[in-house]
Every structure is written in structure tokens, then in C-alpha cells.
């Protein structure tokens, strides 16, 4: 069974930092591209960052470029998102999600809540 | 980026009725259009990918159709567990984008 468990969310002040983790099991992590997708309260999901299976391809949405860093540890089946200089607009649930060439974004974790507030 | 506009925002229906949800893209997505179902407090669940292919385990009452910029998700006969929010998503261009959602409610 595919499982993805996010952690690392919490309450942080504007300008602060957080590091999210996503522990994966049930599939060959090193064979898949992965995404971080966030969802602000009452809004639709928003793709934040993507990383290819061997980290050769990394992309960010414009609103997080220069502030967020996506990375992965294939030996330990873990995906990361380093978030710096956080703003209130970064508030939301952050999901890790598996990406396949055939079906697209087909599996999601349960999410971790990030709240940026003074 | 490609903007996806979903309509209606809210769709009040009863169990057993047919639901028709619309998603319009700001430019062609070449068929790379997916539909997700989200129940409050849960992550999105993939229903349909590439316009019309049902994901594993998705009941046949869910049908996707469309082409170019106009797409439709049809639920032939609503079951109680189908009352949820539905999002369309395109993966034709970076970044993948999602629509604003349609809430199917009682």
C-alpha cells in the first residue's frame, strides 16, 4: 500500500523557517518524481515544487522561488521542503504527492499544516 | 500559466440524481486534464486522468469527457459518499494548475 506521511508543520512567525519531511513506503520511491502541493484554507490545491526521481530536474512556482528548496533522500525514502522567509500567504496544508508519467499526480499524503502568523 | 475555471461553484443535488461539472481551460491542455474528489479533512483523491481514464478503484458512475479547453465530469447517479468538492487539474504545462472547485452538496 502506498503511504506518504508528512511532518514538520506548525505555527511560525512571518520571516521564519520550517522544514517539512515526507516519509514514503509501499512503492519504489527512487523511481518516481515527487511534488509538494499546498492548499490554503477554502482554496484549491496549488503545486509548489517538483523534483525528478534522481533530483536532476527541480522546479518551483514563482511565488516560492528563492525561498523554498525541495530535496529528497532516496536511500531513506524521504522527501523534504525547506521553507524560509515565510509569509502569511504560505499558510495552508502541505501535501507530498507522487507523480507518474502515465496517470499524473496519483497519490497524496495526509498533509501537514503550516500556519504563518504573528 | 493555464487558468482553469470550474462551474458551477456549488451544485445542490439529491442522492440518485445526475451531476454534471464543468472545467474550462484558458488554453488547450491537450487532453491532460484530471479530476479529483476531496472530502473535508482528507487529501484529494484522483478520479479521472487524461480526460476520461478512471483511476484504480473508481466506480463506473464517474465519467470524464471533453477536449481542447472544455471538459466535463459526470456522476451518473449520486451516492451519499459522492457529496464532496471536485477539482480539475491540468498537467499539459508547467506549473500544473487546479481549478477553484465545485462543491456537490445535499
Amino acid at each position: 500500500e502506498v503511504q506518504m506521511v508528512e511532518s514538520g508543520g506548525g505555527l511560525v512567525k512571518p520571516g521564519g523557517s520550517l522544514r517539512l519531511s515526507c516519509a514514503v513506503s509501499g512503492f519504489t520511491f527512487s523511481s518516481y518524481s515527487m511534488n509538494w502541493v499546498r492548499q490554503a484554507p477554502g482554496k484549491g490545491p496549488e503545486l509548489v515544487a517538483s523534483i525528478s526521481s534522481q533530483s536532476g530536474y527541480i522546479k518551483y512556482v514563482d511565488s516560492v522561488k528563492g525561498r523554498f528548496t525541495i530535496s529528497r533522500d532516496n536511500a531513506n525514502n524521504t522527501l523534504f521542503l525547506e521553507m524560509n522567509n515565510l509569509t502569511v500567504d504560505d499558510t495552508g496544508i502541505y501535501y507530498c504527492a507522487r507523480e507518474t508519467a502515465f496517470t499524473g499526480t496519483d497519490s497524496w499524503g495526509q498533509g501537514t499544516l503550516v500556519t504563518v502568523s504573528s | 500559466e493555464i487558468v482553469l475555471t470550474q462551474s458551477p461553484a456549488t451544485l445542490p443535488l439529491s442522492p440518485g440524481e445526475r451531476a454534471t461539472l464543468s472545467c474550462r481551460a484558458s488554453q488547450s491542455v491537450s487532453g491532460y486534464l484530471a479530476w479529483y474528489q476531496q472530502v473535508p479533512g482528507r487529501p484529494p483523491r484522483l478520479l479521472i486522468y487524461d480526460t476520461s481514464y478512471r483511476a484504480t478503484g473508481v466506480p463506473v458512475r464517474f465519467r470524464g469527457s471533453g477536449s481542447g479547453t472544455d471538459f466535463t465530469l459526470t456522476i451518473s447517479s449520486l451516492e451519499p459518499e459522492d457529496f464532496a468538492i471536485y477539482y480539475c487539474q491540468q498537467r499539459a504545462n508547467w506549473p500544473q494548475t487546479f481549478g477553484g472547485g465545485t462543491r456537490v452538496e445535499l
Side-chain angles (χ1 to χ4, degrees), chain B residues 11-62:
Chain B
L11 189 56
L13 291 168
S14 299
E17 290 192 300
R18 182 186 195 89
T20 303
L21 289 67
S22 175
C23 177
R24 175 164 288 178
S26 58
Q27 64 189 77
S28 175
V29 298
S30 304
Y32 292 112
L33 194 286
W35 291 93
Y36 295 84
Q37 177 192 63
Q38 189 173 33
V39 174
R42 302 281 295 170
R45 169 197 175 200
L46 178 66
L47 295 177
I48 302 288
Y49 64 94
D50 293 355
T51 301
S52 61
Y53 296 92
R54 277 187 297 276
T56 302
V58 174
V60 297
R61 64 180 180 273
F62 292 92

Side-chain angles (χ1 to χ4, degrees), chain A residues 38-77:
Chain A
R38 68 185 177 188
Q39 190 168 26
K43 303 291 188 183
E46 177 192 25
L47 176 65
V48 171
S50 295
I51 186 167
S52 61
S53 60
Q54 302 300 316
S55 304
Y57 172 94
I58 290 175
K59 291 200 80 167
Y60 302 95
V61 68
D62 284 348
S63 60
V64 308
K65 275 181 189 173
R67 301 189 299 122
F68 288 14
T69 302
I70 188 172
S71 62
R72 63 192 296 162
D73 179 352
N74 284 347
N76 290 295
N77 294 336

Side-chain angles (χ1 to χ4, degrees), chain A residues 12-20 36 38 46-49 58-71 80-92 94 114-117:
Chain A
V12 62
K13 287 182 168 52
S17 299
L18 281 174
R19 189 190 199 212
L20 306 184
W36 283 102
R38 68 185 177 188
E46 177 192 25
L47 176 65
V48 171
I58 290 175
K59 291 200 80 167
Y60 302 95
V61 68
D62 284 348
S63 60
V64 308
K65 275 181 189 173
R67 301 189 299 122
F68 288 14
T69 302
I70 188 172
S71 62
F80 301 102
L81 185 68
E82 185 82 35
M83 305 188 295
N84 297 313
N85 195 19
L86 286 160
T87 74
V88 294
D89 291 336
D90 296 317
T91 293
Y94 283 70
V114 172
T115 303
V116 184
S117 174

